[in-house]
Amino acid sequence: MSSPLPSSPAASVLDLAPVVPVVVVDDLADAVPLARALVAGGLPAIEVTLRTPVALDAIRAIAAEVPDAVVGAGTVVTAEQVGEVVAAGARFLVSPGWTDGLLEAMRGSGVPFLPGVSTTSEVVALLERGVREMKFFPAEAAGGTAYLKALAAPLPQARFCPTGGITPASAPEYLALPNVGCVGGSWMLPKDAVTDRDWARVERLAREAAGLLSAGGTSR
């Protein structure tokens, strides 16, 4: 199975799968088998967060050894990081927030990006700058589905990947919203499964997550 994300900068991360796993890699040896389990379960877009010393090497390893994965970088907060992760093989970028400088770097990277927003003014500011796809973070703390539902009527051109506090129970409610393309989460990567290297369990949970679109997103 070839990667579903075209090389065009205009390609959308939001349409790859209903859930983008948000991955924190502590042990580099886990990166490739973890990514293979997620892809086998139907979640090809994998956001590796820049929260650990091995994150860049994890992105590099997944990009080189898991060709069906669409590996991206999360927690991108500086222009310097943008260059580093793209050089390592990241095919999309996710930030928890944005500044003009960071936005300029992400726009110039040549790969799709999701700048983070949590207020209406931030959404409007990005729309003014020609950006229509965003990360809504921290989703639950910032108002959850009620907030996103309220944004849909006045700002229908904005599409979101909500991330932060989302569970298998709440994910279908988000996916049913017309302005949500996918959600981000880590519930398919329970700490004990990763510690035990129980990749079969990760694959099973990923498959369940990949099936959430039919459970809750049929209205889109």
Side-chain angles (χ1 to χ4, degrees):
M1 179 178 67
S2 61
S3 166
L5 184 66
S7 59
S8 166
S12 176
V13 179
L14 301 184
D15 299 323
L16 287 179
V19 179
V20 175
V22 179
V23 179
V24 179
V25 179
D26 292 303
D27 187 336
L28 183 58
D30 293 338
V32 167
L34 183 154
R36 286 175 176 158
L38 292 172
V39 171
L43 300 180
I46 301 170
E47 177 188 334
V48 177
T49 63
L50 301 182
R51 302 180 192 174
T52 67
V54 300
L56 268 179
D57 287 333
I59 291 170
R60 191 173 290 112
I62 295 170
E65 300 182 44
V66 192
D68 291 333
V70 180
V71 63
T75 322
V76 177
V77 295
T78 69
E80 181 182 18
Q81 287 176 328
V82 170
E84 291 173 345
V85 298
V86 172
R91 297 181 59 192
F92 64 92
L93 311 170
V94 184
S95 68
W98 65 278
T99 64
D100 282 322
L102 179 58
L103 186 65
E104 182 180 357
M106 290 193 293
R107 197 194 298 273
S109 69
V111 301
F113 57 93
L114 298 173
V117 297
S118 60
T119 69
T120 306
S121 293
E122 290 171 326
V123 175
V124 171
L126 283 178
L127 291 173
E128 187 178 73
R129 289 160 173 79
V131 178
R132 296 189 174 189
E133 298 187 344
M134 313 165 194
K135 171 180 178 174
F136 180 59
F137 176 82
E140 286 290 288
T145 55
Y147 195 97
L148 287 173
K149 188 180 298 184
L151 291 181
L155 301 170
Q157 65 271 52
R159 295 181 73 213
F160 301 96
C161 173
T163 304
I166 298 176
T167 68
S170 63
E173 299 174 10
Y174 281 94
L175 292 169
L177 297 176
N179 55 352
V180 170
C182 64
V183 300
S186 57
W187 70 83
M188 73 295 301
L189 296 162
K191 189 171 181 62
D192 59 336
V194 175
T195 300
D196 295 340
R197 294 188 164 93
D198 188 351
W199 308 127
R201 182 181 172 197
V202 170
E203 180 180 340
R204 175 177 58 80
L205 293 172
R207 186 170 289 109
E208 292 173 1
L212 287 175
L213 184 59
S214 60
T218 54
S219 67
R220 288 189 294 134

